[in-house]
Each structure stands twice: as C-alpha cells, then as structure tokens.
Amino acid sequence: MAGKNGFLDTLLTSPSTERYRVGFSFLFLLCIFLAVGQISDGMPNNMLLMAAAVIGGYMAINIGANDVANNVGPAVGSGALSLGGAVLIAAVFEAGGAIIAGGDVVSTIKGGIIAAERLDDVSAFVWLMTAALLAGALWLNLATWMGAPVSTTHSIVGGVLGAGIAAGGWGIADWAVMAKIVASWVISPVMGGVLAALFLYAIKKTVLYRKNVVPAARTFVPWLVAIMAWAFGTYLMVKGVKKVVEVDFLGASLVGLGLAAVIFFLMRVLVGRRAATMENSSAGVNTLFTWPLIFAAALLSFAHGANDVANAIGPLAAINDALSAGAVVTAASIPLWVMLVGALGLAVGLMLFGPRLIKTVGTEITELDKTRAFCIALSAALTVIIASQLGLPVSSTHIAIGGVFGVGFLREYLKSNYATQLHNIMDSHEEEERERLRPFLEDFRNASVEQMENLLQQAKKKKQVPLSKKERKRLKKIYREEMVKRSHLTRIVAAWIITVPASACMAAVLFFTLRGLML
C-alpha cells in the first residue's frame, strides 16, 4: 500500500495546509458546542456542560494526534503502509473501537488516584474534572507540537491529581497508586524494548543470518506470524472487547490460540507460494511481513480506541452525571453523544495532526524495515498481556516507543560487534597486503548487519583483510555508528518524566482559575 496515497500524504503533511487543519478542528469543536447546547437545553448549568464538551472534544483531538502514532508509526516507517493509508485505517479503527467496545460505564477517576467521595461540593467536583481535562489536553497539544509521543493516560492522571489536590488537599491523593504509575515509566519501555529486541534477534538467527533464507523463512515465518496472531487475539479479548464480551484470561488465550492455528496454516500456504519467486535475502523476507503489519496497525488502533477514549470522555461523562444528578459520581454512564465526541475527536485529531508524530515514531528515531516493525508490534501486544496478568501498570505509548528504541539499540550492538570481529581478523595479517583490502572495506562499510556476518565469514576463509594500526583506529570510528538518534531519546524521555507533574501543575492553576471565575 506504500506510495499509493501520495497526494493524501502531501495534503496531510504540507505546512501550507496547517491553517486549514486548525480551522477544521475549530469547526469541529463549534459543532460540539452547538449540538450539546441542543441536547442539554433546559438542564441546570448547561453552559458549563457545553464548555466541558468542547474541552472533551479538544482532549480527544489531542489523543488522536499524539497517542495513535504508536499504533501505525512502525508500519509507516517500514513501508508496509503509506502515511495516508495508515491515517485512514487508524481513523476508522480508532473510532470503531471507541464506539463498539468503548463501554457503557466508565470510571471517572482514572486509576483511582484520588478519593472523590471526600468532595462534598458538586461544583468543586465539576471544576476539578474540567480543569483536569483541559490540562491534559493542553499538555498533549504541547507535546505533539514538540514531536514527543507521551502517554495520554499519564496526562489525564496528572490533571486529575493536580486539580484534586487543589480541590481537596494532599490527603485526597492515593500515593500508592501514583507510585505504581511512576514505576510504569521504567517498566513499560524496558519491557517493550527487551521483547522487541529479543524477537528481532531470534529472526536474525533463525532466518536472516542463514545462507539460504528462503527455506528458513518457509520454516519459521509462519510460526512467528502465528505467535503474533495469538498475541493480538488474546490482546483484543483482554483489552479491546472486554466491555462487549467478558472473558477471563484462559478464554481469551483460547480464542487467540484458535486464531493462531488458522493464521499458521494460511501463512504456510502463502510463504510456500512466495518461496518460488522470493529473493534470497532479507529484502525478500521483509515482504512476508507486509500484511501482518497492516492488520497489526488496524487491531492496535481498535484496541486503543476502545481503551483510551475513556481519557477524553471519562471526565466529560462525570461532569454530565454530576450536573444531571447533583452529586459526585465515581462511575458514570456514557450517553451516546459523549461517546461520539470521543470517537469522532480521536479520528479528527489523527487525520489533522497525527502525521507529525507518525513520522517521528516511524522514521526519525531509527531506521525501520518490515521485520523490525513486526517485532515492535508483536512486542506491544505481548507486553500488555504479560503486564495485565502480573498487575503491572504499563503505558501503550511507552511500550511502543521502547520497542522502537530496542530494535535500534540491538542494531547498534550487532554492527559494533561485527566491526570488532573485523578488527580482530586484521590484527593477524601483515601490513603489506593492504591494497587487497580496499574493495573489502568498501563493501563492509555499506553492508547491513546480515551482510557483515557473511563478509566476515568470507574474510576468515580468504584471509584478505590486513590493515595498519592507524587505519584500524579510523575504522573503529566509522563503525561506532549511532543507529538511534540520541536527540529524540533525550527529548522523549524528558517529556515522559515531566508529563504527570506538568499536567498536574497546569490543572491546579486551572482549578483555582475556574473557581475564581465561577464564585
């Protein structure tokens, strides 16, 4: 699908269309304001509900712009999907996940981080949720502008925490829950990165490093894609459709296992047919992962829409119930109009502002091919499954970005390791044979990690790689190549660390501002 949506790609990323994207988002928010005005006509404080609905729509736009890049970024970076195709697929499945599996009831206090029952004043509760929603949206907006993918869950958690402390004091917060959330800053990216790197290394050893990759691919690729099918089948049952069909982990695993069996036999047939004409190289193996990546992007988007729409509509549903019932609520029913605000907002934000973060995740951190992107997607699903069963708090954003960094750092390590092997070979040869080395060096410098291993094996047999000590030192500098851009690593990690404090401080200020305006 790559390259088929060139006009759409240009339209989505061109700086000249920025004002139209901003204008369309304002039009969308205006439509929400007017529609909710009609729905809430005659309700007490309906203007406050209309304003909250606009803020909820704004939050949903920012979730779509920032968070969804993690689901489709690797597929775009690897070339499995064009940017335009990815945006269309993700928008449809994000909205579908939110509407179909978003649920009828949502927790209004994300993660139970504050004790809402300690607030007796309904007005203070409404101001708290409004401030939290606006602070989370503003922080996401800033992070998207900076090109930093951050956790939308952490953004709203920080907002609720900051506004809650402002409304009820430090004792209102559950600091044990907050400690778990802080732990997820480390747990999520490390788990995602380690699993992605392990799968990539396994693929390299079982397929890509073989002399004849086609027979190896026929043996191992169906198993790899079947593992992915099991992971996604289980993931969707556990996280994606749990509000439609309630199943335990064993039931979800059995559904995933059934799907994996079907996919395994389909992939055996597909790979068998492709083997006759497939290129005997890593590029040939890459083509086998195109459709699995497309399906992974769609399923990740569906599950994300089902789960993370609550970050936008949870506080909005709480405000709606509080104004309707005149009481503080900890679990709110979700009217259809509230769900539509969240679902449509996700799709609008993704289509208007998502491409910037999609490019960051897919192409700017490290170079991705389809094999690496496959490992990242598989890691994301497995990490969520493992963490949910262990009761560990994880962020889907941090997992996906950790996976990208994991495969990048593995590539660095392998290339450096093979360069070191070359230096060891050089030490055993005489300086007078230097001229015979030059063609080999040129090939080695331009080689992939897979090709490096083959070249080194040839070098050991032919003994044609002598170099002087001075030239060896120069070579070491050449091959200490950074395949992960450190500037992106620093910026993203910094944004992760300050997300909760930043949104909390903003929410506290906004709460006091709202209270001052309304009293």
Side-chain angles (χ1 to χ4, degrees):
M1 291 185 68
K4 293 183 179 180
N5 295 298
F7 173 74
L8 182 57
D9 291 358
T10 302
L11 185 66
L12 290 168
T13 57
S14 173
S16 63
T17 61
E18 181 68 23
R19 62 182 182 275
Y20 297 110
R21 293 196 288 270
V22 173
F24 189 85
S25 61
F26 274 111
L27 180 62
F28 173 71
L29 296 177
L30 177 61
C31 290
I32 291 175
F33 184 81
L34 296 175
V36 175
Q38 289 294 317
I39 294 169
S40 62
D41 188 31
M43 178 188 295
N45 296 314
N46 74 317
M47 285 296 294
L48 186 56
L49 180 61
M50 292 163 67
V54 170
I55 296 171
Y58 175 52
M59 178 64 170
I61 288 174
N62 282 288
I63 293 173
N66 191 290
D67 218 15
V68 81
N70 312 308
N71 304 327
V72 298
V76 172
S78 68
L81 278 170
S82 69
L83 180 61
V87 166
L88 289 175
I89 288 174
V92 170
F93 280 87
E94 284 278 340
I99 293 172
I100 295 170
D104 298 320
V105 176
V106 66
S107 171
T108 61
I109 310 299
K110 189 71 176 180
I113 56 171
I114 66 168
E117 62 274 8
R118 294 185 56 168
L119 294 173
D120 297 325
D121 186 358
V122 175
S123 296
F125 178 76
V126 171
W127 301 334
L128 184 161
M129 302 309 289
T130 303
L133 199 54
L134 182 55
L138 288 171
W139 171 247
L140 282 176
N141 201 160
L142 179 61
T144 303
W145 177 77
M146 293 189 302
V150 298
S151 169
T152 56
T153 300
H154 289 179
S155 299
I156 196 64
V157 161
V160 172
L161 177 67
I165 291 172
W170 292 94
I172 199 173
D174 187 330
W175 296 106
V177 173
M178 282 305 304
K180 290 183 179 180
I181 292 170
V182 171
S184 76
W185 297 343
V186 177
I187 295 169
S188 299
V190 169
M191 286 184 69
V194 168
L195 280 177
L198 285 174
F199 275 109
L200 180 60
Y201 187 71
I203 292 174
K204 286 180 179 295
K205 295 299 287 185
T206 58
V207 180
L208 300 179
Y209 287 173
R210 299 293 179 89
K211 184 176 181 180
N212 295 314
V213 301
V214 173
R218 291 184 66 173
T219 300
F220 291 104
V221 168
W223 286 105
L224 290 165
V225 179
I227 292 171
M228 178 186 239
W230 174 85
F232 275 101
T234 307
Y235 176 82
L236 282 176
M237 296 304 294
V238 170
K239 304 292 286 185
V241 297
K242 61 182 179 180
K243 296 169 184 173
V244 177
V245 180
E246 189 67 37
V247 295
D248 58 13
F249 180 71
L250 178 60
S253 297
L254 291 175
V255 171
L257 191 61
L259 179 62
V262 173
I263 295 299
F264 174 77
F265 289 109
L266 287 176
M267 285 301 299
R268 284 192 67 176
V269 173
L270 174 64
V271 176
R273 290 177 179 175
R274 294 289 302 276
T277 57
M278 193 172 77
E279 182 182 339
N280 188 44
S281 66
S282 58
V285 175
N286 261 314
T287 61
L288 299 175
F289 292 112
T290 300
W291 280 105
L293 277 173
I294 294 171
F295 282 110
L299 295 176
L300 279 171
S301 297
F302 183 89
H304 178 268
N307 281 279
D308 281 29
V309 70
N311 293 332
I313 65 172
L316 177 56
I319 293 167
N320 178 64
D321 268 21
L323 292 175
S324 302
V328 174
V329 293
T330 56
S333 60
I334 305 177
L336 178 61
W337 70 266
V338 173
M339 184 61 75
L340 288 174
V341 167
L344 295 178
L346 287 176
V348 168
L350 166 64
M351 297 187 71
L352 295 179
F353 305 107
R356 179 171 184 170
L357 266 295
I358 290 173
K359 290 181 69 177
T360 296
V361 173
T363 62
E364 295 178 2
I365 295 174
T366 192
E367 182 183 344
L368 295 177
D369 60 15
K370 295 181 181 68
T371 305
R372 297 167 202 148
F374 172 85
C375 295
I376 294 165
L378 179 55
S379 166
L382 284 175
T383 302
V384 170
I385 293 169
I386 294 169
S388 65
Q389 293 311 299
L390 296 177
L392 298 174
V394 291
S395 161
S396 59
T397 300
H398 293 188
I399 292 168
I401 302 301
V404 175
F405 281 118
V407 299
F409 284 125
L410 176 66
R411 293 175 62 221
E412 278 191 19
Y413 167 77
L414 291 175
K415 196 156 191 175
S416 173
N417 185 53
Y418 288 134
T420 300
Q421 290 184 42
L422 178 64
H423 301 149
N424 294 335
I425 295 171
M426 294 168 194
D427 285 333
S428 64
H429 292 81
E430 297 297 330
E431 195 170 330
E432 60 190 31
E433 298 176 331
R434 189 180 307 163
E435 286 302 317
R436 288 196 294 143
L437 173 66
R438 295 192 187 280
F440 178 88
L441 282 178
E442 199 61 37
D443 290 340
F444 194 84
R445 181 172 58 185
N446 297 319
S448 66
V449 172
E450 294 82 8
Q451 293 166 334
M452 277 183 170
E453 183 174 59
N454 293 331
L455 288 170
L456 285 171
Q457 290 173 351
Q458 294 171 16
K460 289 177 182 177
K461 294 176 182 178
K462 297 179 180 179
K463 297 187 179 298
Q464 59 178 17
V465 287
L467 260 188
S468 69
K469 183 179 290 187
K470 182 179 179 181
E471 287 169 325
R472 286 200 302 273
K473 288 181 178 179
R474 288 177 57 193
L475 199 65
K476 286 180 182 179
K477 292 181 181 178
I478 291 174
Y479 293 116
R480 263 188 211 129
E481 181 182 354
E482 291 186 353
M483 295 185 174
V484 176
K485 294 183 180 177
R486 267 48 174 187
S487 59
H488 287 289
L489 175 62
T490 303
R491 186 175 74 245
I492 290 171
V493 170
W496 286 354
I497 292 172
I498 66 173
T499 289
V500 170
S503 57
C505 291
M506 293 169 67
V509 171
L510 288 168
F511 174 81
F512 288 125
T513 302
L514 282 171
R515 189 177 68 173
L517 291 173
M518 301 301 290
L519 289 178

